[in-house]
Amino acid sequence: MELLEKSFSEDRCILDLEASSLDEALGKICHELARRGTIDTEQRDPILALLLQREHTAATAIGQAVAVPHAYSEILTEPLVVFARLRHPINAGALDGVGVSYIFLLVGPDQAARRHIDTLAAIARFMSDSEARYELRHAKNAVELTEAFQHFQTRIAPATPVPEVDVHKGLRWTGRFAGGLIDDFRHRLPYYFSDFRDGVHGKSIASIMFLFFACLAPTVTFGGIMGVATGGQIGAVETILAASIGGVLYALFSGQPLIIIGTTGPLLVFITTLYTLCVQLEIPFLPTYACVSLWAGGLTILLAVTDASALMRFFTRFTDEIFAALISVIYIYEALSSLARESQDINDLANPSHALLTLLLALGTLYLAMNLQAFRRSRFLLPWMRELLGDFGPTIALVAMSAVAFWLSNVELAKLDIPNEFAPSLHGGRSWFVNPMDAPQWVWFASVIPGLLGAVLIFLDQNITARLVNSPDHQLQKGPAYHWDLGVIGVLTGAFSLVGLPWIVAATVRSLNHIRSLADVEEVVTRSGERRDRVIHVRETRLTGLLIHLGIGGSLIALALLKMVPMAVLYGVFLFMGLVSMKGNQFLERLTLLPMESSLYPQAHYMRRVPKRVVHLYTMLQLACLAVLWVIKSSAIAIVFPLFITLLVPIRILANRYFKKEHLAALDAAETPNESSSILPG
């Protein structure tokens, strides 16, 4: 470790070295060492000759973007380790096919070879740490390189025995009134200003531009659907206003600002079902909605101050995967069903171009967004260009397809349905203030029942999404704030009820896309040869959420401009978000095994630990739960949908009676085991 640490000192490290081959890189390294006086000038050429001879005998690229060229000669009296980071990766013949970005040069006298074996082991251990690789890639000088190594040593050599990973971090019951809420506030407060500072980065710009449209599209779409289902009493204007005001306040005052809030599919089902009940009972909707919302908001706050979020400890990956799959499927279903409605004109021989262009724009948006996001792993262009295209891929796709639609303006297309002016959606107008006292007196008290169901739905929707965001797979460093965030949502729910705005909670798909848009990832190759992205660092910031929702509010001013965006393009964005949010969902990955030839199954960790029959049974159990949730969501009893989500917990507990403990430990692990065979920088 000592020699490795010395390689990051001022006289032994070279950053952003320009070279097109490893031979050229070695020549420049030796020249620079002689110039600095690290080695004598007369030693330079013999050392270089030995290094090149060794390199031509067998490649020293060991994989993981690392090369370890080495040579030994008695012209040196002390062992020497030098670190060089290349500006651009070079092909050096590594077995994993990954270009070399980092060079650790080992030279010294013959007797130094044994000592260098220990150094090689230290290099392998150091470069296998994802956080160390991230800091190494972004270090600007020798001081930051040394700090990266010291951070690594701190992580691997704690002063006390390594504690068991706390998979329920932030979900402990304190036994004090508002104890969890106060603890969350104290924990997150020191990070408040860094939450803004960490957002000053190019990735934040790409995230804001992509998520603005990615959040505006479902906001307007859900608002339009809600407007139709509630007779215009809560429509697109109210939904945009709720997303904007609530999103800004949440970005400023929440504990976990990476969560994006908004109206979700389950909330849409609940509110529209409540409207149907009001029509059947012949009572005014908005005052009744205000009563229900006040109860729901108050009960949500009560759940926050009593540490009820600690109950989420009983929710495992089993529940999270089903809920995340449900939300992803809702996005994809809504996009496809909307496209199907648009494509009904395909049988109209007088106007077949409308349906055809709608389909092409949606699929074109999806294709461009998916391929541009994956372009960072391409071999074309320069690294910063690939990174730029990867970050801005969804935004580029949206703008490009909108431009195509504008170019083909002779074909009439459905545009983003936004009202012409800022006013309540209800035809004939209404006051912005909703007086809950206008509801019949019996409704004031009877509304506690739907209010309780609404509070349960808010509790589950918020906390399950928060669990997915705070997953160990995302490598977040600043910690969660379940109790505090639930309290913030409760306050917003109660306040919004008085102006007839829809409820907003953590939106699963939007939040996961927010995480990925701010993440630095690397491509890992599993033992089965499958390549997948792994998050190594996320920029935890309030700035993106703040500006995204300010932009959504500003859209009420630029209504004419937004009306130029075709709905077909937004359907493509919906498909993209739904498909991308499915990545990493093991339940959906296991579903693909059902029609697959068993001999070709990927060697995932659960496939090596659990019999195939048991894996399929467990997957079918989750699939059955998902199907029941979908049926309930679409039925006349949709208002009790939250209770069926809660029932996933006892179902998982009952699974202990039919599945072996060690099998469930592999299938329901809180974190995906780190078992990649090699790592590709990206």
Side-chain angles (χ1 to χ4, degrees):
M1 283 291 185
E2 180 185 355
L3 281 177
L4 180 57
E5 184 173 10
K6 286 182 178 179
S7 71
F8 301 126
S9 60
E10 188 71 40
D11 62 331
R12 298 189 184 185
C13 69
I14 304 171
L15 297 181
D16 299 328
L17 181 67
E18 289 278 5
S20 58
S21 67
L22 192 55
D23 288 2
E24 182 183 355
L26 293 176
K28 289 187 174 182
I29 291 172
C30 291
H31 177 80
E32 182 64 19
L33 292 177
R35 188 189 67 79
R36 295 179 181 181
T38 306
I39 61 175
D40 295 334
T41 304
E42 59 270 16
Q43 294 175 327
R44 180 187 63 193
D45 292 340
I47 291 175
L48 177 59
L50 289 171
L51 288 169
L52 294 177
Q53 180 182 355
R54 175 67 182 82
E55 189 64 35
H56 296 159
T57 302
T60 56
I62 61 174
Q64 300 188 6
V66 178
V68 190
H70 50 279
Y72 303 100
S73 172
E74 292 306 322
I75 63 174
L76 292 172
T77 58
E78 292 293 332
L80 177 66
V81 179
V82 178
F83 171 74
R85 186 182 68 198
L86 301 178
R87 184 178 296 275
H88 307 299
I90 56 178
N91 184 3
L95 291 177
D96 59 5
V98 182
V100 169
S101 297
Y102 311 105
I103 296 175
F104 289 91
L105 179 68
L106 282 64
V107 293
D110 291 335
Q111 61 269 26
R114 181 171 298 178
R115 189 177 179 187
H116 277 173
I117 292 176
D118 296 333
T119 304
L120 278 170
I123 291 171
R125 191 176 185 185
F126 177 63
M127 295 304 293
S128 67
D129 184 85
S130 60
E131 191 66 22
R133 288 194 304 276
Y134 174 80
E135 293 183 357
L136 205 64
R137 188 192 310 172
H138 293 87
K140 297 181 177 63
N141 49 49
V143 174
E144 293 186 5
L145 287 173
T146 303
E147 288 177 352
F149 184 76
Q150 291 170 349
H151 295 162
F152 166 73
Q153 288 185 306
T154 302
R155 288 193 296 273
I156 66 170
T160 57
V162 179
E164 184 180 351
V165 175
D166 185 6
V167 297
H168 302 301
K169 185 177 181 181
L171 294 174
R172 300 294 180 187
W173 186 68
T174 64
R176 311 188 312 271
F177 178 77
L181 190 143
I182 294 171
D183 288 348
D184 286 346
F185 178 79
R186 289 174 175 171
H187 171 74
R188 289 292 308 199
L189 185 60
Y191 297 108
Y192 191 77
F193 292 106
S194 71
D195 285 342
F196 289 96
R197 185 176 62 249
D198 293 346
V200 183
H201 190 269
K203 275 190 176 294
S204 297
I205 300 174
S207 175
I208 292 165
M209 294 179 68
F210 163 48
L211 265 299
F212 167 72
F213 288 101
C215 293
L216 183 63
T219 298
V220 174
T221 303
F222 286 147
I225 296 172
M226 194 177 297
V228 173
T230 62
Q233 299 197 52
I234 299 179
V237 171
E238 288 83 0
T239 309
I240 293 173
L241 198 59
S244 176
I245 296 174
V248 168
L249 292 175
Y250 193 85
L252 290 174
F253 300 112
S254 68
Q256 178 49 279
L258 291 176
I259 293 173
I260 295 291
I261 63 173
T263 300
T264 65
L267 290 185
L268 172 65
V269 171
F270 187 90
I271 293 173
T272 55
T273 304
L274 180 63
Y275 175 80
T276 303
L277 287 175
C278 289
V279 172
Q280 293 172 351
L281 296 173
E282 298 182 348
I283 56 177
F285 169 64
L286 284 177
T288 303
Y289 171 73
C291 292
V292 173
S293 300
L294 286 172
W295 278 112
L299 291 171
T300 301
I301 294 173
L302 181 63
L303 291 172
V305 299
T306 55
D307 294 355
S309 292
L311 295 173
M312 295 303 297
R313 297 174 60 192
F314 298 103
F315 286 72
T316 64
R317 190 177 194 126
F318 174 87
T319 309
D320 295 346
E321 288 178 344
I322 295 172
F323 187 80
L326 174 67
I327 302 301
S328 296
V329 171
I330 287 175
Y331 263 73
I332 295 172
Y333 174 80
E334 289 297 333
L336 293 178
S337 60
S338 298
L339 281 173
R341 286 193 298 271
E342 292 284 340
S343 299
Q344 287 176 355
D345 290 341
I346 196 70
N347 296 320
D348 182 3
L349 297 179
N351 186 26
S353 55
H354 167 265
L356 182 59
L357 184 58
T358 297
L359 183 63
L360 290 176
L361 288 174
L363 295 181
T365 303
L366 173 64
Y367 178 82
L368 269 181
M370 295 290 285
N371 282 275
L372 286 174
Q373 190 180 62
F375 197 77
R376 56 169 51 93
R377 295 190 295 272
S378 169
R379 296 186 178 184
F380 299 101
L381 304 181
L382 297 176
W384 69 268
M385 294 178 182
R386 297 197 295 266
E387 193 71 21
L388 187 69
L389 289 173
D391 289 340
F392 285 86
T395 305
I396 294 171
L398 188 146
V399 173
M401 290 296 104
S402 297
V404 170
F406 182 77
W407 179 49
L408 299 174
S409 56
N410 58 313
V411 179
E412 189 67 27
L413 294 171
K415 297 298 198 310
L416 192 58
D417 186 16
I418 295 181
N420 294 318
E421 58 182 11
F422 176 65
S425 300
L426 186 63
H427 291 293
R430 69 168 175 88
S431 169
W432 276 109
F433 175 71
V434 177
N435 187 356
M437 298 296 107
D438 290 342
Q441 193 168 1
W442 66 270
V443 172
W444 301 353
F445 306 99
S447 57
V448 68
I449 298 174
L452 176 60
L453 291 172
V456 171
L457 178 58
I458 291 171
F459 173 83
L460 295 173
D461 218 343
Q462 174 70 26
N463 279 324
I464 291 177
T465 300
R467 270 176 55 90
L468 292 168
V469 167
N470 292 304
S471 166
D473 292 338
H474 290 150
Q475 308 291 338
L476 302 184
Q477 303 298 315
K478 297 181 181 180
Y482 293 96
H483 311 286
W484 179 268
D485 288 348
L486 187 63
V488 172
I489 292 296
V491 171
L492 292 176
T493 301
F496 283 4
S497 68
L498 300 178
V499 286
L501 299 184
W503 298 349
I504 54 175
V505 293
T508 305
V509 172
R510 281 162 270 182
S511 298
L512 294 179
N513 276 276
H514 190 212
I515 288 278
R516 290 187 174 92
S517 68
L518 292 170
D520 286 281
V521 299
E522 61 187 6
E523 189 178 27
V524 298
V525 182
T526 63
R527 295 182 180 181
S528 61
E530 182 185 2
R531 297 183 177 220
R532 62 176 61 194
D533 288 339
R534 183 171 68 192
V535 174
I536 60 174
H537 181 82
V538 175
R539 297 189 177 277
E540 301 178 52
T541 176
R542 297 178 186 274
L543 199 58
T544 50
L546 177 64
L547 294 178
I548 287 165
H549 291 97
L550 282 174
I552 291 175
S555 68
L556 292 169
I557 302 173
L559 296 176
L561 187 62
L562 287 175
K563 282 191 170 187
M564 296 175 63
V565 179
M567 287 302 298
V569 174
L570 296 182
Y571 299 150
V573 173
F574 261 53
L575 286 171
F576 170 77
M577 293 176 65
L579 291 172
V580 168
S581 64
M582 286 182 168
K583 292 181 179 179
N585 190 321
Q586 287 184 11
F587 161 49
L588 298 175
E589 291 174 358
R590 282 186 271 106
L591 271 180
T592 64
L593 301 181
L594 296 176
M596 189 182 298
E597 184 182 342
S598 59
S599 62
L600 300 178
Y601 284 175
Q603 291 303 304
H605 67 281
Y606 49 82
M607 293 305 302
R608 297 197 303 275
R609 296 173 173 87
V610 184
K612 296 174 184 176
R613 183 182 64 85
V614 176
V615 171
H616 293 326
L617 285 174
Y618 184 82
T619 304
M620 293 305 295
L621 174 62
Q622 286 185 294
L623 182 60
C625 292
L626 176 61
V628 170
L629 288 177
W630 184 269
V631 171
I632 296 298
K633 178 194 78 69
S634 308
S635 69
I637 59 171
I639 198 166
V640 298
F641 175 72
L643 298 181
F644 282 83
I645 298 178
T646 308
L647 288 176
L648 293 176
V649 175
I651 290 174
R652 170 60 183 83
I653 294 174
L654 284 174
N656 291 322
R657 300 178 59 180
Y658 303 99
F659 294 88
K660 292 183 179 179
K661 183 178 180 181
E662 58 270 23
H663 294 166
L664 288 175
L667 291 166
D668 203 19
E671 183 177 8
T672 304
N674 181 8
E675 54 177 20
S676 58
S677 61
S678 61
I679 301 170
L680 315 182

